[in-house]
Every structure is written in structure tokens, then in C-alpha cells.
Amino acid sequence: MMVQAIEKLTILLQGGIPTRLDSTAIDGADGRKFAESMNQLISFMEEMHQFITPLARGELSDINFTAGNYLASPFKELHSRLRHLTWQSKQVADGDYGQRVDFMGEFSEAFNSMIVALERNERLLKEKIKELEQALSHIKRLEGVL
């Protein structure tokens, strides 16, 4: 059984997903318990692989984890934050410049700087439009006088 377990671990360490050990064919409670633990690890890794692959492509919908896969907790958290970030980006695109990101280090700084710049540029653009509208109004008055 140890040879099989080492083979399974080697496959996992190389990024593959091995088949599960047959715990019913193992003698002794300790051996069966070890095989069940190995099988749980294999299941967790398989689930994480199925989750991480679409996540790496930016696919955030229709991704599910079963409860109890504690190895996947950081990926679940990343997924949740990316979904929220997607929502925030849509809010900014709709003109809500009050959005800020504070949970992603350097990305947060870049995102927040972008929002400040967008807000400033929109304000400057509105000011310029107002100036041009006033100038056009003045020109029309002058044309009327002439």
C-alpha cells in the first residue's frame, strides 16, 4: 500500500489527479484510515483543480465548492473578492466613483488611483463643457446684436 500511496502523492505533486486507493482491499484499521485520508486529499485536490482552472481564465460564475474542503479556503476567498471586484468595476463604469478596493495590495492602489483619475477627468470635462456652452451662448448673443 505504501508504494501505491507514494505513487499517488507523486502524481499530485506533479499536478495530476490520481485515481483513489481501494480502502476496502487494505487490511487493518490504520491502513484503511490512511487510505481514506489519501482519498480525501485526492478529492480535495481534484476539486481545487476544477475550481482553479476556470478561475485562472477569469470565469467567476458557476463555480462551486463542497463544504469542508479547507485546503481550498484561500481560493474560495479569492473567488469571492474577484466577484465583488467585478461588481465594483461595473459600478464605476456606471459612474459611481465612490468605490474603493482595500484588499488586494498593489492592485488596490492602482484601482483606487484609476477611480480618482476618472472622477477628476469627468469633473474637468463637465467644467469644459460648461465653459463652451457659456461661450456659445455669448456668441449667439453677439450674433443677435450684429
Side-chain angles (χ1 to χ4, degrees), residues 89-119:
S89 297
K90 289 177 183 176
Q91 295 301 110
V92 171
D94 290 338
D96 177 2
Y97 299 123
Q99 299 296 320
R100 294 296 183 269
V101 176
D102 61 358
F103 56 82
M104 295 187 76
E106 290 179 33
F107 177 83
S108 297
E109 293 172 21
F111 185 88
N112 295 339
S113 294
M114 177 189 67
I115 292 173
V116 169
L118 284 170
E119 186 174 30

mmCIF file of all heavy atoms in Angstrom, residues 89-119:
data_model
loop_
_atom_site.group_PDB
_atom_site.id
_atom_site.type_symbol
_atom_site.label_atom_id
_atom_site.label_comp_id
_atom_site.label_asym_id
_atom_site.label_seq_id
_atom_site.Cartn_x
_atom_site.Cartn_y
_atom_site.Cartn_z
ATOM 1 N N SER A 89 -16.337 47.211 -10.311
ATOM 2 C CA SER A 89 -15.930 47.741 -11.612
ATOM 3 C C SER A 89 -17.145 48.154 -12.428
ATOM 4 O O SER A 89 -17.135 49.199 -13.098
ATOM 5 C CB SER A 89 -15.113 46.709 -12.384
ATOM 6 O OG SER A 89 -13.930 46.418 -11.692
ATOM 7 N N LYS A 90 -18.197 47.362 -12.360
ATOM 8 C CA LYS A 90 -19.438 47.717 -13.068
ATOM 9 C C LYS A 90 -20.045 48.987 -12.482
ATOM 10 O O LYS A 90 -20.571 49.828 -13.214
ATOM 11 C CB LYS A 90 -20.427 46.556 -13.004
ATOM 12 C CG LYS A 90 -20.013 45.383 -13.865
ATOM 13 C CD LYS A 90 -20.968 44.221 -13.723
ATOM 14 C CE LYS A 90 -20.487 43.037 -14.552
ATOM 15 N NZ LYS A 90 -21.334 41.857 -14.368
ATOM 16 N N GLN A 91 -19.961 49.145 -11.162
ATOM 17 C CA GLN A 91 -20.470 50.355 -10.516
ATOM 18 C C GLN A 91 -19.693 51.574 -11.003
ATOM 19 O O GLN A 91 -20.271 52.613 -11.288
ATOM 20 C CB GLN A 91 -20.372 50.242 -8.991
ATOM 21 C CG GLN A 91 -21.241 49.159 -8.374
ATOM 22 C CD GLN A 91 -22.708 49.360 -8.679
ATOM 23 O OE1 GLN A 91 -23.297 48.608 -9.433
ATOM 24 N NE2 GLN A 91 -23.298 50.379 -8.112
ATOM 25 N N VAL A 92 -18.374 51.452 -11.082
ATOM 26 C CA VAL A 92 -17.534 52.559 -11.564
ATOM 27 C C VAL A 92 -17.894 52.880 -13.009
ATOM 28 O O VAL A 92 -18.011 54.053 -13.382
ATOM 29 C CB VAL A 92 -16.034 52.224 -11.420
ATOM 30 C CG1 VAL A 92 -15.175 53.263 -12.126
ATOM 31 C CG2 VAL A 92 -15.646 52.116 -9.950
ATOM 32 N N ALA A 93 -18.087 51.856 -13.823
ATOM 33 C CA ALA A 93 -18.447 52.067 -15.228
ATOM 34 C C ALA A 93 -19.772 52.821 -15.344
ATOM 35 O O ALA A 93 -19.986 53.568 -16.302
ATOM 36 C CB ALA A 93 -18.539 50.726 -15.959
ATOM 37 N N ASP A 94 -20.644 52.658 -14.350
ATOM 38 C CA ASP A 94 -21.929 53.364 -14.333
ATOM 39 C C ASP A 94 -21.822 54.739 -13.671
ATOM 40 O O ASP A 94 -22.838 55.397 -13.456
ATOM 41 C CB ASP A 94 -22.990 52.523 -13.619
ATOM 42 C CG ASP A 94 -23.395 51.295 -14.416
ATOM 43 O OD1 ASP A 94 -23.203 51.290 -15.655
ATOM 44 O OD2 ASP A 94 -23.920 50.336 -13.806
ATOM 45 N N GLY A 95 -20.605 55.159 -13.306
ATOM 46 C CA GLY A 95 -20.406 56.491 -12.766
ATOM 47 C C GLY A 95 -20.312 56.597 -11.262
ATOM 48 O O GLY A 95 -20.242 57.693 -10.711
ATOM 49 N N ASP A 96 -20.301 55.474 -10.555
ATOM 50 C CA ASP A 96 -20.177 55.502 -9.090
ATOM 51 C C ASP A 96 -18.698 55.504 -8.731
ATOM 52 O O ASP A 96 -18.064 54.463 -8.631
ATOM 53 C CB ASP A 96 -20.875 54.279 -8.478
ATOM 54 C CG ASP A 96 -20.725 54.215 -6.963
ATOM 55 O OD1 ASP A 96 -20.123 55.130 -6.368
ATOM 56 O OD2 ASP A 96 -21.216 53.229 -6.374
ATOM 57 N N TYR A 97 -18.147 56.703 -8.528
ATOM 58 C CA TYR A 97 -16.729 56.831 -8.235
ATOM 59 C C TYR A 97 -16.432 56.713 -6.744
ATOM 60 O O TYR A 97 -15.312 56.960 -6.315
ATOM 61 C CB TYR A 97 -16.186 58.149 -8.787
ATOM 62 C CG TYR A 97 -16.335 58.250 -10.291
ATOM 63 C CD1 TYR A 97 -17.026 59.303 -10.860
ATOM 64 C CD2 TYR A 97 -15.797 57.284 -11.121
ATOM 65 C CE1 TYR A 97 -17.162 59.393 -12.234
ATOM 66 C CE2 TYR A 97 -15.931 57.360 -12.492
ATOM 67 C CZ TYR A 97 -16.624 58.421 -13.044
ATOM 68 O OH TYR A 97 -16.760 58.503 -14.408
ATOM 69 N N GLY A 98 -17.412 56.333 -5.961
ATOM 70 C CA GLY A 98 -17.204 56.133 -4.528
ATOM 71 C C GLY A 98 -16.644 54.761 -4.190
ATOM 72 O O GLY A 98 -16.344 54.471 -3.043
ATOM 73 N N GLN A 99 -16.497 53.916 -5.193
ATOM 74 C CA GLN A 99 -15.979 52.564 -4.967
ATOM 75 C C GLN A 99 -14.491 52.614 -4.651
ATOM 76 O O GLN A 99 -13.748 53.350 -5.289
ATOM 77 C CB GLN A 99 -16.219 51.681 -6.193
ATOM 78 C CG GLN A 99 -17.673 51.489 -6.554
ATOM 79 C CD GLN A 99 -18.428 50.753 -5.485
ATOM 80 O OE1 GLN A 99 -17.932 49.805 -4.890
ATOM 81 N NE2 GLN A 99 -19.643 51.205 -5.213
ATOM 82 N N ARG A 100 -14.073 51.818 -3.688
ATOM 83 C CA ARG A 100 -12.654 51.689 -3.348
ATOM 84 C C ARG A 100 -12.349 50.226 -3.045
ATOM 85 O O ARG A 100 -13.195 49.496 -2.546
ATOM 86 C CB ARG A 100 -12.280 52.541 -2.126
ATOM 87 C CG ARG A 100 -12.390 54.042 -2.333
ATOM 88 C CD ARG A 100 -11.395 54.533 -3.383
ATOM 89 N NE ARG A 100 -11.425 55.969 -3.558
ATOM 90 C CZ ARG A 100 -12.181 56.617 -4.426
ATOM 91 N NH1 ARG A 100 -13.028 55.963 -5.203
ATOM 92 N NH2 ARG A 100 -12.119 57.927 -4.536
ATOM 93 N N VAL A 101 -11.126 49.825 -3.343
ATOM 94 C CA VAL A 101 -10.668 48.465 -3.077
ATOM 95 C C VAL A 101 -9.579 48.555 -2.019
ATOM 96 O O VAL A 101 -8.663 49.358 -2.141
ATOM 97 C CB VAL A 101 -10.116 47.806 -4.365
ATOM 98 C CG1 VAL A 101 -9.542 46.429 -4.079
ATOM 99 C CG2 VAL A 101 -11.207 47.718 -5.419
ATOM 100 N N ASP A 102 -9.689 47.722 -0.991
ATOM 101 C CA ASP A 102 -8.692 47.781 0.080
ATOM 102 C C ASP A 102 -8.143 46.414 0.459
ATOM 103 O O ASP A 102 -7.510 46.272 1.484
ATOM 104 C CB ASP A 102 -9.283 48.459 1.317
ATOM 105 C CG ASP A 102 -10.480 47.703 1.877
ATOM 106 O OD1 ASP A 102 -10.881 46.680 1.288
ATOM 107 O OD2 ASP A 102 -11.005 48.140 2.907
ATOM 108 N N PHE A 103 -8.369 45.430 -0.392
ATOM 109 C CA PHE A 103 -7.996 44.072 -0.006
ATOM 110 C C PHE A 103 -7.028 43.387 -0.968
ATOM 111 O O PHE A 103 -6.796 42.201 -0.843
ATOM 112 C CB PHE A 103 -9.246 43.201 0.150
ATOM 113 C CG PHE A 103 -10.132 43.166 -1.078
ATOM 114 C CD1 PHE A 103 -9.855 42.330 -2.147
ATOM 115 C CD2 PHE A 103 -11.245 43.977 -1.138
ATOM 116 C CE1 PHE A 103 -10.664 42.300 -3.251
ATOM 117 C CE2 PHE A 103 -12.076 43.947 -2.248
ATOM 118 C CZ PHE A 103 -11.780 43.116 -3.301
ATOM 119 N N MET A 104 -6.465 44.115 -1.912
ATOM 120 C CA MET A 104 -5.618 43.456 -2.902
ATOM 121 C C MET A 104 -4.285 44.154 -3.116
ATOM 122 O O MET A 104 -3.784 44.215 -4.237
ATOM 123 C CB MET A 104 -6.378 43.291 -4.216
ATOM 124 C CG MET A 104 -7.565 42.360 -4.092
ATOM 125 S SD MET A 104 -8.351 41.982 -5.656
ATOM 126 C CE MET A 104 -7.186 40.815 -6.339
ATOM 127 N N GLY A 105 -3.703 44.715 -2.072
ATOM 128 C CA GLY A 105 -2.350 45.261 -2.139
ATOM 129 C C GLY A 105 -2.136 46.277 -3.239
ATOM 130 O O GLY A 105 -2.860 47.269 -3.337
ATOM 131 N N GLU A 106 -1.127 46.050 -4.068
ATOM 132 C CA GLU A 106 -0.766 46.986 -5.133
ATOM 133 C C GLU A 106 -1.909 47.200 -6.113
ATOM 134 O O GLU A 106 -2.083 48.303 -6.640
ATOM 135 C CB GLU A 106 0.457 46.476 -5.889
ATOM 136 C CG GLU A 106 1.736 46.527 -5.091
ATOM 137 C CD GLU A 106 2.916 45.977 -5.876
ATOM 138 O OE1 GLU A 106 2.948 46.141 -7.109
ATOM 139 O OE2 GLU A 106 3.796 45.380 -5.241
ATOM 140 N N PHE A 107 -2.698 46.163 -6.351
ATOM 141 C CA PHE A 107 -3.835 46.316 -7.253
ATOM 142 C C PHE A 107 -4.806 47.341 -6.689
ATOM 143 O O PHE A 107 -5.359 48.153 -7.437
ATOM 144 C CB PHE A 107 -4.548 44.982 -7.489
ATOM 145 C CG PHE A 107 -5.761 45.135 -8.355
ATOM 146 C CD1 PHE A 107 -5.632 45.174 -9.730
ATOM 147 C CD2 PHE A 107 -7.019 45.291 -7.797
ATOM 148 C CE1 PHE A 107 -6.746 45.352 -10.538
ATOM 149 C CE2 PHE A 107 -8.129 45.468 -8.594
ATOM 150 C CZ PHE A 107 -7.994 45.494 -9.974
ATOM 151 N N SER A 108 -5.016 47.308 -5.365
ATOM 152 C CA SER A 108 -5.915 48.276 -4.727
ATOM 153 C C SER A 108 -5.457 49.694 -5.000
ATOM 154 O O SER A 108 -6.265 50.569 -5.330
ATOM 155 C CB SER A 108 -5.976 48.040 -3.212
ATOM 156 O OG SER A 108 -6.519 46.781 -2.923
ATOM 157 N N GLU A 109 -4.168 49.931 -4.860
ATOM 158 C CA GLU A 109 -3.629 51.267 -5.100
ATOM 159 C C GLU A 109 -3.881 51.698 -6.546
ATOM 160 O O GLU A 109 -4.307 52.828 -6.801
ATOM 161 C CB GLU A 109 -2.132 51.290 -4.796
ATOM 162 C CG GLU A 109 -1.797 51.082 -3.328
ATOM 163 C CD GLU A 109 -0.300 50.909 -3.088
ATOM 164 O OE1 GLU A 109 0.508 51.333 -3.947
ATOM 165 O OE2 GLU A 109 0.047 50.361 -2.031
ATOM 166 N N ALA A 110 -3.631 50.808 -7.484
ATOM 167 C CA ALA A 110 -3.828 51.124 -8.901
ATOM 168 C C ALA A 110 -5.305 51.366 -9.206
ATOM 169 O O ALA A 110 -5.666 52.328 -9.899
ATOM 170 C CB ALA A 110 -3.274 50.004 -9.777
ATOM 171 N N PHE A 111 -6.174 50.520 -8.694
ATOM 172 C CA PHE A 111 -7.619 50.637 -8.925
ATOM 173 C C PHE A 111 -8.130 51.954 -8.350
ATOM 174 O O PHE A 111 -8.843 52.703 -9.023
ATOM 175 C CB PHE A 111 -8.342 49.446 -8.290
ATOM 176 C CG PHE A 111 -9.819 49.393 -8.573
ATOM 177 C CD1 PHE A 111 -10.293 48.747 -9.698
ATOM 178 C CD2 PHE A 111 -10.730 49.962 -7.696
ATOM 179 C CE1 PHE A 111 -11.652 48.685 -9.962
ATOM 180 C CE2 PHE A 111 -12.094 49.901 -7.949
ATOM 181 C CZ PHE A 111 -12.558 49.263 -9.091
ATOM 182 N N ASN A 112 -7.740 52.232 -7.110
ATOM 183 C CA ASN A 112 -8.210 53.450 -6.454
ATOM 184 C C ASN A 112 -7.679 54.694 -7.153
ATOM 185 O O ASN A 112 -8.399 55.688 -7.293
ATOM 186 C CB ASN A 112 -7.842 53.435 -4.973
ATOM 187 C CG ASN A 112 -8.559 52.323 -4.222
ATOM 188 O OD1 ASN A 112 -9.585 51.816 -4.656
ATOM 189 N ND2 ASN A 112 -8.008 51.921 -3.102
ATOM 190 N N SER A 113 -6.429 54.660 -7.616
ATOM 191 C CA SER A 113 -5.866 55.788 -8.373
ATOM 192 C C SER A 113 -6.628 55.985 -9.681
ATOM 193 O O SER A 113 -6.887 57.125 -10.090
ATOM 194 C CB SER A 113 -4.395 55.547 -8.683
ATOM 195 O OG SER A 113 -3.640 55.539 -7.504
ATOM 196 N N MET A 114 -6.998 54.893 -10.317
ATOM 197 C CA MET A 114 -7.759 54.974 -11.558
ATOM 198 C C MET A 114 -9.107 55.645 -11.314
ATOM 199 O O MET A 114 -9.537 56.506 -12.088
ATOM 200 C CB MET A 114 -7.964 53.576 -12.148
ATOM 201 C CG MET A 114 -8.811 53.560 -13.406
ATOM 202 S SD MET A 114 -9.259 51.903 -13.941
ATOM 203 C CE MET A 114 -10.347 51.387 -12.618
ATOM 204 N N ILE A 115 -9.762 55.294 -10.221
ATOM 205 C CA ILE A 115 -11.070 55.878 -9.918
ATOM 206 C C ILE A 115 -10.933 57.376 -9.658
ATOM 207 O O ILE A 115 -11.727 58.177 -10.156
ATOM 208 C CB ILE A 115 -11.721 55.162 -8.716
ATOM 209 C CG1 ILE A 115 -12.095 53.738 -9.118
ATOM 210 C CG2 ILE A 115 -12.952 55.918 -8.248
ATOM 211 C CD1 ILE A 115 -12.581 52.889 -7.969
ATOM 212 N N VAL A 116 -9.922 57.761 -8.898
ATOM 213 C CA VAL A 116 -9.688 59.182 -8.624
ATOM 214 C C VAL A 116 -9.444 59.930 -9.934
ATOM 215 O O VAL A 116 -9.994 61.015 -10.160
ATOM 216 C CB VAL A 116 -8.515 59.360 -7.631
ATOM 217 C CG1 VAL A 116 -8.078 60.808 -7.550
ATOM 218 C CG2 VAL A 116 -8.897 58.828 -6.258
ATOM 219 N N ALA A 117 -8.641 59.345 -10.831
ATOM 220 C CA ALA A 117 -8.354 59.979 -12.121
ATOM 221 C C ALA A 117 -9.608 60.078 -12.979
ATOM 222 O O ALA A 117 -9.856 61.111 -13.621
ATOM 223 C CB ALA A 117 -7.261 59.203 -12.857
ATOM 224 N N LEU A 118 -10.415 59.044 -13.004
ATOM 225 C CA LEU A 118 -11.663 59.082 -13.774
ATOM 226 C C LEU A 118 -12.600 60.167 -13.244
ATOM 227 O O LEU A 118 -13.189 60.922 -14.021
ATOM 228 C CB LEU A 118 -12.369 57.720 -13.708
ATOM 229 C CG LEU A 118 -11.796 56.605 -14.564
ATOM 230 C CD1 LEU A 118 -12.450 55.270 -14.204
ATOM 231 C CD2 LEU A 118 -11.973 56.911 -16.044
ATOM 232 N N GLU A 119 -12.697 60.232 -11.933
ATOM 233 C CA GLU A 119 -13.564 61.237 -11.318
ATOM 234 C C GLU A 119 -13.074 62.651 -11.640
ATOM 235 O O GLU A 119 -13.853 63.532 -12.006
ATOM 236 C CB GLU A 119 -13.604 61.016 -9.802
ATOM 237 C CG GLU A 119 -14.571 61.910 -9.068
ATOM 238 C CD GLU A 119 -14.666 61.554 -7.596
ATOM 239 O OE1 GLU A 119 -13.669 61.065 -7.018
ATOM 240 O OE2 GLU A 119 -15.743 61.790 -7.032
#
